[in-house]
Amino acid sequence: MPSAVTLIRSNRLSSAAQYAYAATVPKDARLIFLAGSCPLNEDGSTAGIGDYRMQAEKSLENMCVALEAAGARIDDVVSTRVLVASVNQADLVAAWEVVRDAFGDHDVPSTLMGVTVLGYDHQLVEIEAVAAVVD
């Protein structure tokens, strides 16, 4: 089934961004608001302690499980917010590269933020997402 999401681009905005600047969904779309996906294993332990890339991968994996439970997939995501517990830009970029690569051509509008702390012990990455599907 094709995605309900239409990515919007403009040649009047910087081409340096690695994502579309906006996205739309049709009026009959069902919106899915995901909680922040964390790098947690099924037993509640934090995956990839100390590793921004591994934590981004696990967060994406968990996001995809939540999307599937809601009847959606990664191509149905409308936007993301990637939170990285660091003041070091290289750490933010490490997490972002994993997210960008996972979305591929479906480069949804995204916000990348450095934060001081996240909710779980040893947590470095969290990914929020909104998705839309037409049932």
Side-chain angles (χ1 to χ4, degrees), residues 3-121:
S3 175
V5 179
T6 300
L7 300 177
I8 309 297
R9 303 178 194 287
S10 173
N11 61 4
R12 295 178 49 210
L13 296 168
S14 172
S15 61
Q18 299 173 348
Y19 46 80
Y21 277 98
T24 63
V25 299
K27 66 181 179 181
D28 60 341
R30 176 171 55 92
L31 295 177
I32 303 164
F33 299 89
L34 281 75
S37 295
C38 302
L40 299 179
N41 297 310
E42 286 187 37
D43 66 3
S45 63
T46 302
I49 293 175
D51 188 322
Y52 289 91
R53 289 181 185 280
M54 286 183 63
Q55 288 205 5
E57 289 171 2
K58 184 62 176 176
S59 296
L60 283 162
E61 178 184 319
N62 289 340
M63 181 191 77
C64 288
V65 170
L67 284 167
E68 183 180 344
R73 60 184 193 276
I74 198 166
D75 288 352
D76 297 316
V77 171
V78 177
S79 67
T80 67
R81 181 176 302 137
V82 181
L83 309 173
V84 181
S86 180
V87 297
N88 183 341
Q89 188 177 27
D91 298 333
L92 276 71
V93 169
W96 172 249
E97 288 174 343
V98 173
V99 173
R100 180 197 61 208
D101 292 349
F103 277 88
D105 291 337
H106 187 67
D107 54 344
V108 299
S110 297
T111 299
L112 176 63
M113 296 173 53
V115 298
T116 57
V117 67
L118 291 166
Y120 293 99
D121 290 341

